[in-house]
Amino acid sequence: MSLTVIGLNHQTAPVSVRERLAFPAIMLAEALTALGSETEIAEAMILSTCNRTEIYCIGDAATVIHWLSGYHQLPLAEFSPYLYQFHDKDAVQHAFRVACGLDSMVLGEPQILGQLKEAVRTARSQHTLHQHLNALFEKTFAAAKEIRNESAVGENSVSMAAAAVKMAAQIFPDISALNVLMVGAGEMIELVATYFAAEHPQRLTVLNRTLARAQELCSKLNAEADARILTALPEILAEYDVIVSSTASPFPVIGKGLVERALKQRRGMPMFLLDLAVPRDIEAEAGELNDAYLYSVDDMVNIVQHGQAARQQAAAAAEKMVASKVAEFIAWQQTRSSVPLICALRTQGEELRCKAVAKALRRLRKGTSIEEVLQRLSHELTNSLLHAPTRALNKDSRQHPELAEAISLIYHLHGQNRQR
């Protein structure tokens, strides 16, 4: 079984495809357990964000793809053209690039590293992460921290959260005169709410399934904000000019009909709706309504690319650092993989030594001279240690000429062969 990454992201698939293969947080533990039960999968971790769904595993790629199809009840033909696969060294490089933000919509953005760490924590809690993937991600996180600190890849970036405010300002120039509604209370909403709070909107409200979590988020904002339960959405939606939604719901929480009723109550006042969730929170058909300006994650590309040119130079330096770190990891991994063989070789050598010493002691007890015992001990020990390589050369060197080269290298015989 090899290290494999299978996934799709904002570069290979539109949000309409990504949302069908997404794993909302409430489904992730169950999905990992199901994937881990596959006989061809030894270890697994699932990373699912608004921009990507990726499965990192020690196992068979075909098994993973067919499992994805079955789990999401989605025919292979509908998503396989959007998938990418990486194996072994390429998989390591991809993991490092993702952690550094080099594969993100916003080049160098820091949120992905936190999302990756959370995905690893979830996999560990479900016992689907073991020796190989644990080693990979420990090295990945260490490399990402070093590369981010030593390169400028994350500087001058426009985050998704900052872009949300810029997009709203294109429709409503004065944010301070607006009523802003946040639907959800996760990490993304917290970031967006922080940016909107800095603009001091007229009203800022956080809706969430649990009121306590909404209240907790409101307390973190440097602005007045009120918390409401998500079930209040239908009765209050019309009061808000800006709605930003990012929940973990597998189904839309804001339907076209709900938006249509809210717009009628607003009597021609426009409504800006930003859907940052994957799967989407807001029905796409709502964007067809007059005065409804609906945007998804994919619509934010142009804004978040601001400052991209300045970061590209830093990214080139970061890519070189990634290549160096990948080479270090592969070398470390190869050294680590030889440890069991070294242990087995030393164990065998120790067994041969013990047998030879036991024979020598028996001869001494029988009165054999020390000189003769030592001679026979050294002779038998030499024969025992060299028996396996000598037999291999005599038996297999014609079919496997590399054996002779390997044994010459191990016993430093190249110079002696040339002299002869």
Side-chain angles (χ1 to χ4, degrees):
M1 291 187 179
S2 65
L3 170 62
T4 297
V5 179
I6 294 170
L8 74 176
N9 62 18
H10 62 285
Q11 298 173 26
T12 68
V15 67
S16 59
V17 175
R18 298 201 308 274
E19 67 183 355
R20 299 177 74 185
L21 288 174
F23 293 89
I26 57 174
M27 295 168 52
L28 193 54
E30 175 197 347
L32 278 165
T33 300
L35 179 57
S37 67
E38 294 285 330
T39 55
E40 297 298 317
I41 305 299
E43 302 183 38
M45 187 277 279
I46 299 174
L47 174 64
S48 187
T49 73
C50 59
N51 285 329
R52 71 181 64 243
T53 291
E54 295 180 341
I55 295 177
Y56 294 74
C57 70
I58 303 297
D60 178 63
T63 299
V64 172
I65 294 171
H66 281 90
W67 177 84
L68 266 175
S69 175
Y71 189 86
H72 288 289
Q73 298 183 348
L74 190 62
L76 275 171
E78 295 188 24
F79 70 89
S80 58
Y82 303 98
L83 291 180
Y84 45 77
Q85 292 186 39
F86 299 102
H87 302 279
D88 300 319
K89 181 180 179 181
D90 291 336
V92 175
Q93 183 175 34
H94 181 74
F96 281 29
R97 294 187 73 253
V98 168
C100 293
L102 293 170
D103 195 56
S104 297
M105 179 184 289
V106 183
L107 185 61
E109 57 94 3
Q111 283 79 28
I112 186 62
L113 183 56
Q115 292 165 334
L116 196 55
K117 288 181 177 179
E118 182 59 33
V120 167
R121 279 193 290 269
T122 303
R124 282 176 178 156
S125 71
Q126 299 307 120
H127 309 292
T128 61
L129 215 69
H130 305 298
Q131 178 183 355
H132 294 91
L133 289 186
N134 264 318
L136 169 66
F137 288 115
E138 284 176 7
K139 296 292 184 180
T140 297
F141 298 149
K145 180 179 180 181
E146 184 176 337
I147 292 169
R148 285 177 179 275
N149 287 340
E150 294 185 12
S151 73
V153 68
E155 294 180 5
N156 303 312
S157 66
V158 176
S159 68
M160 297 277 275
V165 176
K166 289 194 172 189
M167 291 179 77
Q170 292 176 359
I171 299 168
F172 303 104
D174 186 8
I175 302 294
S176 65
L178 303 179
N179 292 338
V180 178
L181 178 65
M182 300 285 146
V183 182
E187 182 184 6
M188 181 57 75
I189 285 293
E190 183 173 338
L191 289 168
V192 175
T194 300
Y195 274 87
F196 271 102
E199 300 294 325
H200 304 289
Q202 182 172 300
R203 183 180 177 189
L204 179 59
T205 300
V206 177
L207 284 187
N208 195 52
R209 282 188 175 82
T210 58
L211 185 61
R213 177 69 185 105
Q215 290 171 333
E216 181 186 349
L217 174 53
C218 288
S219 68
K220 294 180 180 180
L221 303 174
N222 292 321
E224 284 192 24
D226 60 301
R228 299 287 297 272
I229 198 77
L230 187 59
T231 51
L233 181 63
E235 63 184 81
I236 67 172
L237 184 62
E239 302 171 16
Y240 293 88
D241 310 293
V242 173
I243 297 93
V244 182
S245 188
S246 181
T247 74
S249 172
F251 309 107
V253 295
I254 302 175
K256 178 183 177 182
L258 184 60
V259 176
E260 190 171 20
R261 288 193 295 275
L263 287 170
K264 285 181 180 177
Q265 295 177 50
R266 290 175 63 82
R267 300 180 184 278
M269 287 290 292
M271 181 181 285
F272 170 76
L273 302 112
L274 179 58
D275 189 349
L276 296 178
V278 177
R280 284 175 286 186
D281 279 342
I282 306 173
E283 286 186 347
E285 292 77 11
E288 300 168 2
L289 300 170
N290 290 333
D291 299 320
Y293 296 87
L294 173 61
Y295 298 89
S296 71
V297 170
D298 288 0
D299 296 320
M300 304 181 75
V301 175
N302 291 334
I303 291 181
V304 300
Q305 296 306 323
H306 174 77
Q308 183 88 341
R311 295 196 303 279
Q312 284 292 355
Q313 188 173 357
E319 292 281 11
K320 288 183 180 179
M321 294 178 70
V322 165
S324 174
K325 292 297 179 184
V326 169
E328 285 180 18
F329 177 78
I330 297 298
W332 172 81
Q333 198 174 42
Q334 289 171 343
T335 302
R336 196 164 172 244
S337 66
S338 66
V339 169
L341 181 60
I342 292 170
C343 290
L345 186 62
R346 287 192 169 276
T347 298
Q348 186 184 69
E350 180 63 14
E351 289 174 356
L352 294 173
R353 184 192 70 82
C354 289
K355 287 180 182 178
V357 169
K359 281 185 180 181
L361 290 172
R362 285 197 296 269
R363 290 180 183 126
L364 284 173
R365 292 189 193 103
K366 290 179 180 179
T368 307
S369 69
I370 293 176
E371 183 179 345
E372 183 181 345
V373 169
L374 288 175
Q375 288 290 344
R376 292 179 69 175
L377 170 65
S378 61
H379 180 72
E380 289 172 359
L381 191 56
T382 300
N383 283 343
S384 296
L385 293 173
L386 295 180
H387 174 72
T390 302
R391 187 171 180 273
L393 281 172
N394 287 332
K395 184 180 178 182
D396 300 322
S397 59
R398 288 186 179 180
Q399 290 183 345
H400 303 284
E402 68 275 8
L403 276 174
E405 179 64 25
I407 290 172
S408 293
L409 182 64
I410 291 169
Y411 290 99
H412 304 288
L413 302 178
H414 287 85
Q416 294 180 36
N417 288 341
R418 282 195 295 269
Q419 290 172 10
R420 292 174 186 173

